[in-house]
Amino acid sequence: MDNFEINPWDEYTIVFKALSDLTRLKIIWLLLSIDSKISVSEIKDVLEENQYNISKHLKVLKNAGLIYEKKEGKWSFYYYRVKDDLFDKAIRATVKSIPNNLMDGEISRCQKRLSMRVDGKCVVGSEQWNNLKKKDKL
Amino acid sequence: MDNFEINPWDEYTIVFKALSDLTRLKIIWLLLSIDSKISVSEIKDVLEENQYNISKHLKVLKNAGLIYEKKEGKWSFYYYRVKDDLFDKAIRATVKSIPNNLMDGEISRCQKRLSMRVDGKCVVGSEQWNNLKKKDKL
DNA sequence: TTTGTGAATGCACTATTTTGCATATTGGAA
DNA sequence: TTCCAATATGCAAAATAGTGCATTCACAAA
């Protein structure tokens, strides 16, 4: 089921492929930017995509070795998987070199969204979130 | 015909997509490694792919802004398009971080092949090349 | 102008990806 | 338990991408 690497090149092409999708690139950008964990529904609200696609994209990123997952209660939190090899370091520098202003909307939504966590738990219903968004015109 | 960039993100995702194919990644690796030009048939011999696919991959790379082309007589030479922005710098570092040993075969074929140029022109028929390859067991 | 070599392209076919929708699964709260 | 919110997944449709083959284009040498 999981693809067993045959070609040593796969390790590299799979990462480029993972980053070649806008939603996935934004997820990685966010993770590197906030430098901490983020849950599926938080990503969903920040990127304004639906839940199942976010889940699928996260799977691709995980498969590429770029992120890892840690469950806390009913939440799945995702983290950037930092490695200390040259390739990963360069990949991080590459993603970080993408100008912040392309993420303006996402950044403000992300700040709002993450600030709603109650001691590490993201206990926010989508109604509350949508109200907040409307109020702040995000 | 040419795709007119709509989303500023395209500039980035298109590069990752371009590098997500093994043949294309090898072409870029080679270009950065030799730090000069290379013709289509040289690439073809070095990577042992057919001519029309090489041409198509080069088109994708060109479209991504990673390379440019300069015709000399009947040859098309391709060059890495160096930009001095952070993103391109990071992309180059990323590709360069891929270990040389993955390209061992390609490197020796490339050295042989490029050394056959006669004052900048790659005037080598495929028979000659194939003979040389056989002789040197490449 | 004819011929040959290097390179590009159009088309059909196959393969891979992405998406939407419906349906699971998991774990906490009532 | 039962219910609900968070997340994952199976499947089919739609969109993209890669390949092979034939053909065409470009250019230079005969």
Side-chain angles (χ1 to χ4, degrees):
Chain A
M1 196 201 162
D2 251 315
N3 53 352
F4 34 92
E5 310 259 312
I6 290 177
N7 187 323
W9 281 93
D10 288 349
E11 180 186 343
Y12 304 101
T13 53
I14 208 178
V15 168
F16 289 121
K17 193 164 305 181
L19 296 174
S20 73
D21 174 272
L22 181 51
T23 302
R24 292 194 297 256
L25 182 52
K26 284 184 175 178
I27 291 173
I28 295 298
W29 196 101
L30 269 184
L31 276 174
L32 291 177
S33 163
I34 65 176
D35 194 32
S36 81
K37 65 187 182 182
I38 193 165
S39 75
V40 178
S41 36
E42 286 167 339
I43 298 175
K44 164 187 164 297
D45 287 337
V46 170
L47 300 189
E48 303 185 314
E49 297 273 342
N50 58 58
Q51 177 267 318
Y52 51 84
N53 277 334
I54 296 293
S55 277
K56 284 171 186 173
H57 284 309
L58 287 167
K59 194 175 181 178
V60 174
L61 290 171
K62 194 175 164 185
N63 222 286
L66 287 170
I67 60 175
Y68 65 95
E69 179 203 8
K70 213 161 100 186
K71 302 219 184 226
E72 293 183 32
K74 42 181 186 174
W75 292 279
S76 288
F77 285 99
Y78 285 86
Y79 301 72
Y80 188 89
R81 165 169 271 141
V82 177
K83 286 136 275 170
D84 70 354
D85 56 279
L86 286 177
F87 184 75
D88 181 59
K89 199 171 286 190
I91 283 289
R92 276 179 276 136
T94 305
V95 175
K96 282 182 182 163
S97 80
I98 298 174
N100 288 26
N101 67 294
L102 294 184
M103 288 288 278
D104 278 349
E106 287 83 355
I107 291 169
S108 31
R109 283 195 296 275
C110 191
Q111 285 174 342
K112 289 272 180 266
R113 191 63 169 83
L114 297 196
S115 72
M116 294 174 86
R117 287 184 189 163
V118 177
D119 48 75
K121 297 175 195 305
C122 38
V123 284
V124 178
S126 27
E127 343 74 42
Q128 286 177 64
W129 171 247
N130 286 325
N131 287 339
L132 191 78
K133 262 199 352 187
K134 217 169 301 170
K135 187 167 71 75
D136 290 358
K137 302 194 215 54
L138 289 179
Chain B
M1 196 197 167
D2 253 315
N3 53 352
F4 34 91
E5 309 260 312
I6 291 178
N7 188 323
W9 280 94
D10 288 350
E11 179 186 343
Y12 305 100
T13 54
I14 208 179
V15 168
F16 289 120
K17 194 163 305 180
L19 297 174
S20 72
D21 175 89
L22 183 50
T23 303
R24 292 194 296 257
L25 182 52
K26 284 184 174 178
I27 292 173
I28 295 297
W29 196 101
L30 269 184
L31 277 175
L32 292 177
S33 163
I34 65 177
D35 195 32
S36 79
K37 64 186 183 182
I38 192 166
S39 75
V40 176
S41 35
E42 287 167 339
I43 298 175
K44 165 186 164 298
D45 288 336
V46 171
L47 299 190
E48 302 185 315
E49 297 273 343
N50 57 58
Q51 177 266 319
Y52 50 84
N53 276 335
I54 296 292
S55 277
K56 284 171 186 174
H57 283 309
L58 286 168
K59 194 176 182 178
V60 174
L61 291 170
K62 194 174 164 186
N63 222 285
L66 287 169
I67 61 175
Y68 65 94
E69 179 203 7
K70 213 160 100 185
K71 302 218 184 228
E72 292 183 34
K74 40 182 186 173
W75 291 280
S76 286
F77 284 98
Y78 285 86
Y79 300 71
Y80 188 88
R81 165 168 271 141
V82 178
K83 286 136 277 172
D84 70 355
D85 57 279
L86 287 177
F87 184 76
D88 181 59
K89 198 171 286 188
I91 282 289
R92 277 180 274 137
T94 305
V95 176
K96 282 182 181 162
S97 80
I98 298 173
N100 288 26
N101 67 296
L102 294 184
M103 288 288 280
D104 279 350
E106 287 83 354
I107 292 169
S108 33
R109 284 195 296 275
C110 191
Q111 285 173 343
K112 289 270 180 267
R113 190 62 169 82
L114 297 197
S115 71
M116 297 173 84
R117 287 183 189 164
V118 176
D119 49 74
K121 295 175 197 304
C122 35
V123 284
V124 178
S126 29
E127 342 74 42
Q128 286 177 65
W129 171 246
N130 286 325
N131 289 337
L132 190 78
K133 262 199 353 186
K134 218 170 297 171
K135 187 165 71 73
D136 291 357
K137 303 193 215 53
L138 288 181

